[in-house]
Amino acid sequence: MIFRIILTTIKSALLATFLFIALFNQITIYDIFIASVITFVITAVISFFMILFTLLPFKIIGDYFSYNNVQIFQVFFPYYAMVSFAICTWFIVISKDDNMVKSLFFAAFFTSIMAWYWLFKKTN
Amino acid sequence: MKFILLIPAVLFSTLFYNKSLGLNVLLFALVVITLLFLRHQKKSKNKSILLKALLYLISSVFVFIHHNDLTLTATVISFFVFVGSFSNTKSSLFIQFLNGFYTTITAVIANYFERVEQEVVLVKEKNTNYAFWFKTVSISIVVLAIFMGLYSNSNPVFANLLQKIDLSFISFNWILFTAVAYYFIANIVLPVQIEPLTTSDANTTDFLIKIDKNTDERTLSDNAKLGFILFLVLNFLLVFVLVTDLIYLLQKKQLSAAALSNQLHQGVNALIVSIVLAIVLILFFFKGDLNFYKGNKHLKKSVFVWLVMNGFLAVVTAYKNYQYVHFFGLTYKRIGVFVYLILAIFGLILTFIKVKEVKNLWFLVRKNTQIAFSVLLIAAAINWDTFITKYNVFNAKEVDVTYLISLDNNKIVLDNVKKQLVLTPTQLEEISTNKAQYQSELREKVWQEYFLTNFINK
C-alpha cells in the first residue's frame, strides 16, 4: 500500500503540474523548466497529504467492512467526486476570473479523481 | 464512437469558448438531447426521459429569453436531471439529479470500475489500434494538404475559397478547452448510477410497511395519548397566536417600512420554527407502529388541526408580505418570502397526506423535491427584473428608484416607464446611460451570446 501511495503521489503531482502549467498559460518558455520543478514539488506535497487525509480514510473504512478496492470505489467515490467538484467549482466561481485560481482548482479536481483511480484500480 | 464524440466537443468549444451565455445554452441543449437520444435509442422512447428532455429544453429557452442566475440554475439542474434519467428511469427526481451530476463529472472512470466489478474483460479497449488510427489520420491530413495546395494553384476559385477559411481561433487554450469538453461529453453518453443509493431508491415504495416488532399495546396507547395531549396544547397556543395576529392586522393603520419589515420577519421566523417543529414532531410520532394502531384517531385529528393552523399561519404571513409589497413594492427578498410560503404550504399538504395515507419519509423527500423543482422552473419562466420594475412603478405606494436602477434585466423597461417616476437629474442620467450601455453590449455580442432581445431589436 505504501508503494501504491507513493506512486499515486508522483502521478498526481505530474498531472497537477501539467494541468496547472498548461491552464495557467502565463509562464514563458524560458521559465517553464524551473516553474515545472517548483510546481511539481508543491503539488507532490499537496497530493501526498490529500491522499493521506482524504483517500486513505476510505481505504481504512473499506477494510473494516471487508470491501475490496472496487467496492470501496463504488460506495465512496461518487460522493467524494461530487463534493470535490462542488468545492472546486465554488472556488472557481468566487475567484472572479482569476486565471491562477481557476487553473489551480481545475487541476485539483482532476488530480483528486485520478488519484482515486490510481489508488484503487484493479488490485484484487 | 470515441472519434464521433469529437464533433460535439468541437461544437461545445465553438459555442462556449470565451463566450458569455445566451443562444449557446439553447443550442448546446439541442446537441445534448440529440446525442443522448441517438446513443440510447430504446430509452429515449421512455415518457419520463422525454419529459426531462422537454423540461431541459424549456429551461434553456428561458436562458435565451432572459438570462439571469435563476434561469441558469434551473437549466443546470434540469440538465443533470435529464442526464441522470438515462441512468435509471424509475429513480426519484433527486436521485436522477445526483446520478446526472455524478455521470457528468466522472462517468468514464466510474465505468471502468463497474466493468471490473462485472468481470467484463476489457478486450474492446485492447483491440483499439491507436497506432493505426494515428497513422491513418496523420497520412490523410498530409496527403489532403498536398492535394489542396496543388488544386489551389490550378484553380483560383478554389484558392479563394480556401483563403476564406479562418482557423485563427484554434489556440493552445482552445484545444485544452475542447479536450475538457470531450471529457464531459464522453461522460454524459455513459450513464452511471450511484450505488447502493439508486437501487435502494428504486426498491422503496411510498408506503410505510408494518414491521411486526410486537410493540406492547400499552406503549402504543401511551404514545398516542402523549402525542394527542402535546398537539392539543400546541393547537391552543397556535390559536392564541393567530387570533392576536389577526387582531393586529385588522387594526387599520398606516405602518412604517421598518414596522412592516419587522412584523413580517417575525412572522416568517415564527412560521419556519413552527413548520419545522410540526414536521419533526409528526415524523417522530408517526415513524412506526403508531401509524397502524387503531386507537390513533384522536392523535391524527389533533395533528390535522395543527397542520391546518400552520397553513393558516402561512396565509397570514403571506398577507403581511402582501401589505409590505403593496406599500413599498416588490424586491427579490419579498418574492423569496412568497416562494418560501408556497413551498411551506405544499410541505404541510404533503405531511397531511403522509399521516392520512400512512406514507413514509421517502415519500415526503420525493414529493417535496418534485415540487421544489417545479417551482424553480416556473420561477425561471418569469423575467423578475422586468416584473419587479413594472409592478413597483404602477402599483407600489412608494418606489425605491435606487433599487430599480440596481437591477440588471430592466434597463429598457425602466427607461420606457421613467415618466411615471419622480426622479432626480442624476437618476435620469443614470437610467439613460444604463440603457445606452445595455444596448451597446447587446450590439457587441457575437451570435453564440445572442438573447431574444438581439433578434427583436434588429
Side-chain angles (χ1 to χ4, degrees):
Chain A
M1 194 62 196
I2 294 167
F3 176 70
R4 191 163 266 254
I5 290 172
I6 294 166
L7 201 66
T8 307
T9 304
I10 295 167
K11 283 179 182 175
S12 302
L14 280 171
L15 177 69
T17 305
F18 168 73
L19 285 174
F20 180 74
I21 301 275
L23 291 163
F24 189 45
N25 201 18
Q26 280 174 15
I27 298 160
T28 58
I29 199 80
Y30 306 105
D31 301 329
I32 209 147
F33 179 72
I34 297 166
S36 302
V37 171
I38 294 167
T39 314
F40 178 79
V41 172
I42 295 168
T43 52
V45 175
I46 296 171
S47 300
F48 180 72
F49 285 107
M50 183 196 77
I51 292 164
L52 214 61
F53 293 116
T54 72
L55 299 193
L56 220 55
F58 293 111
K59 175 76 182 156
I60 295 163
I61 296 167
D63 285 346
Y64 179 77
F65 288 106
S66 309
Y67 289 165
N68 62 31
N69 277 359
V70 175
Q71 286 170 322
I72 293 172
F73 184 91
Q74 283 184 330
V75 172
F76 301 115
F77 176 70
Y79 307 102
Y80 183 92
M82 287 190 285
V83 170
S84 172
F85 185 83
I87 292 171
C88 293
T89 309
W90 186 73
F91 275 108
I92 290 170
V93 170
I94 63 161
S95 74
K96 290 177 183 170
D97 248 16
D98 185 320
N99 200 23
M100 186 161 175
V101 179
K102 273 199 297 187
S103 314
L104 187 72
F105 283 98
F106 189 87
F109 169 68
F110 276 100
T111 309
S112 71
I113 58 165
M114 284 312 289
W116 262 93
Y117 175 79
W118 289 318
L119 198 66
F120 292 101
K121 72 176 176 181
K122 48 175 180 180
T123 53
N124 53 327
Chain B
M1 189 64 190
K2 284 175 185 171
F3 292 105
I4 290 169
L5 290 180
L6 268 174
I7 299 167
V10 171
L11 262 172
F12 183 89
S13 293
T14 313
L15 290 172
F16 291 101
Y17 183 67
N18 275 345
K19 307 281 186 303
S20 61
L21 303 178
L23 180 64
N24 45 13
V25 175
L26 176 60
L27 294 175
F28 180 65
L30 289 169
V31 171
V32 169
I33 291 168
T34 313
L35 187 69
L36 286 179
F37 277 3
L38 286 174
R39 182 81 172 81
H40 308 280
Q41 289 182 4
K42 275 185 187 171
K43 278 187 180 175
S44 61
K45 284 166 192 161
N46 182 290
K47 279 181 188 172
S48 165
I49 290 180
L50 285 171
L51 177 70
K52 306 291 161 46
L54 185 70
L55 293 177
Y56 174 40
L57 197 64
I58 290 171
S59 60
S60 50
V61 169
F62 295 152
V63 176
F64 172 61
I65 296 172
H66 49 263
H67 167 230
N68 57 38
D69 290 346
L70 194 68
T71 51
L72 194 61
T73 310
T75 307
V76 171
I77 291 175
S78 47
F79 165 75
F80 286 140
V81 170
F82 172 61
V83 173
S85 64
F86 282 91
S87 301
N88 191 329
T89 49
K90 288 175 185 172
S91 295
S92 309
L93 189 86
F94 71 101
I95 300 289
Q96 287 183 339
F97 169 79
L98 287 177
N99 280 333
F101 185 24
Y102 178 46
T103 297
T104 308
I105 59 174
T106 56
V108 171
I109 296 168
N111 259 296
Y112 168 81
F113 274 85
E114 271 188 15
R115 277 178 288 178
V116 170
E117 174 75 348
Q118 288 162 3
E119 292 178 3
V120 173
V121 185
L122 306 174
V123 178
K124 222 175 174 181
E125 262 86 339
K126 282 176 188 165
N127 282 347
T128 310
N129 193 341
Y130 290 105
F132 165 77
W133 281 107
F134 180 74
K135 205 164 64 182
T136 310
V137 172
S138 309
I139 292 171
S140 304
I141 290 171
V142 171
V143 172
L144 200 70
I146 292 167
F147 276 89
M148 276 163 78
L150 282 171
Y151 294 146
S152 61
N153 279 336
S154 61
N155 185 340
V157 180
F158 184 64
N160 194 28
L161 205 69
L162 279 183
Q163 273 176 352
K164 280 180 184 172
I165 297 171
D166 181 18
L167 295 174
S168 61
F169 65 92
I170 298 175
S171 61
F172 181 67
N173 276 357
W174 185 89
I175 293 167
L176 268 178
F177 191 84
T178 311
V180 174
Y182 179 84
Y183 170 75
F184 284 115
I185 285 163
N187 280 339
I188 62 172
V189 295
L190 294 167
V192 283
Q193 52 190 48
I194 303 167
E195 290 297 2
L197 189 69
T198 310
T199 311
S200 164
D201 169 62
N203 294 336
T204 309
T205 63
D206 285 345
F207 290 94
L208 260 178
I209 298 160
K210 190 180 181 184
I211 303 161
D212 286 328
K213 285 195 292 187
N214 292 327
T215 315
D216 185 9
E217 180 90 1
R218 183 157 179 190
T219 314
L220 285 173
S221 168
D222 286 350
N223 282 344
K225 277 177 196 162
L226 172 71
F228 173 67
I229 292 166
L230 187 67
F231 280 103
L232 197 69
V233 173
L234 286 172
N235 280 334
F236 276 117
L237 184 69
L238 199 52
V239 168
F240 186 71
V241 171
L242 280 169
V243 170
T244 50
D245 226 2
L246 280 173
I247 292 169
Y248 183 71
L249 280 176
L250 291 171
Q251 290 171 342
K252 286 186 178 175
K253 57 182 178 183
Q254 181 82 26
L255 293 168
S256 67
L260 270 170
S261 167
N262 194 33
Q263 61 155 286
L264 177 69
H265 290 143
Q266 280 174 355
V268 172
N269 290 339
L271 190 67
I272 291 170
V273 174
S274 183
I275 288 173
V276 170
L277 192 70
I279 292 173
V280 168
L281 280 174
I282 290 164
L283 290 178
F284 175 75
F285 280 104
F286 289 92
K287 66 177 186 293
D289 285 349
L290 204 55
N291 284 284
F292 307 100
Y293 176 57
K294 284 178 184 170
N296 68 4
K297 281 177 188 167
H298 291 302
L299 172 62
K300 275 194 173 180
K301 276 179 190 167
S302 62
V303 165
F304 293 153
V305 174
W306 166 257
L307 287 171
V308 170
M309 286 207 296
N310 268 297
F312 199 61
L313 188 65
V315 174
V316 170
T317 313
Y319 180 70
K320 283 179 189 172
N321 197 31
Y322 166 74
Q323 269 193 326
Y324 197 12
V325 168
H326 180 68
F327 284 110
F328 302 104
L330 277 169
T331 62
Y332 273 98
K333 277 188 182 171
R334 290 162 211 169
I335 292 166
V337 171
F338 279 128
V339 172
Y340 166 72
L341 292 171
I342 290 167
L343 292 174
I345 288 170
F346 275 114
L348 291 169
I349 293 168
L350 289 171
T351 313
F352 178 85
I353 296 169
K354 181 236 172 303
V355 176
K356 193 170 183 291
E357 294 180 11
V358 197
K359 307 261 185 177
N360 55 18
L361 179 65
W362 215 232
F363 160 81
L364 276 185
V365 177
R366 276 178 183 151
K367 296 297 169 191
N368 276 314
T369 45
Q370 280 174 6
I371 286 164
F373 183 56
S374 311
V375 169
L376 176 69
L377 283 179
I378 293 165
I382 301 161
N383 184 347
W384 288 106
D385 287 353
T386 304
F387 185 79
I388 289 169
T389 308
K390 283 183 179 170
Y391 180 88
N392 288 4
V393 170
F394 294 110
N395 298 294
K397 303 273 181 202
E398 282 180 34
V399 182
D400 184 352
V401 179
T402 315
Y403 179 74
L404 294 183
I405 291 173
S406 73
L407 298 175
D408 287 328
N409 285 330
N410 67 341
K411 306 300 180 202
I412 294 171
V413 174
L414 190 58
D415 189 69
N416 292 343
V417 296
K418 67 185 176 191
K419 284 176 189 169
Q420 309 284 331
L421 298 164
V422 182
L423 300 166
T424 62
T426 323
Q427 285 172 334
L428 258 173
E429 197 187 328
E430 204 173 344
I431 290 170
S432 303
T433 315
N434 283 347
K435 186 193 172 187
Q437 198 180 338
Y438 176 72
Q439 286 177 325
S440 153
E441 280 170 14
L442 275 182
R443 277 193 296 273
E444 282 169 14
K445 283 186 184 297
V446 289
W447 66 269
Q448 290 98 325
E449 304 170 325
Y450 277 179
F451 294 140
L452 184 64
T453 326
N454 285 88
F455 295 98
I456 293 170
N457 283 2
K458 266 187 177 177

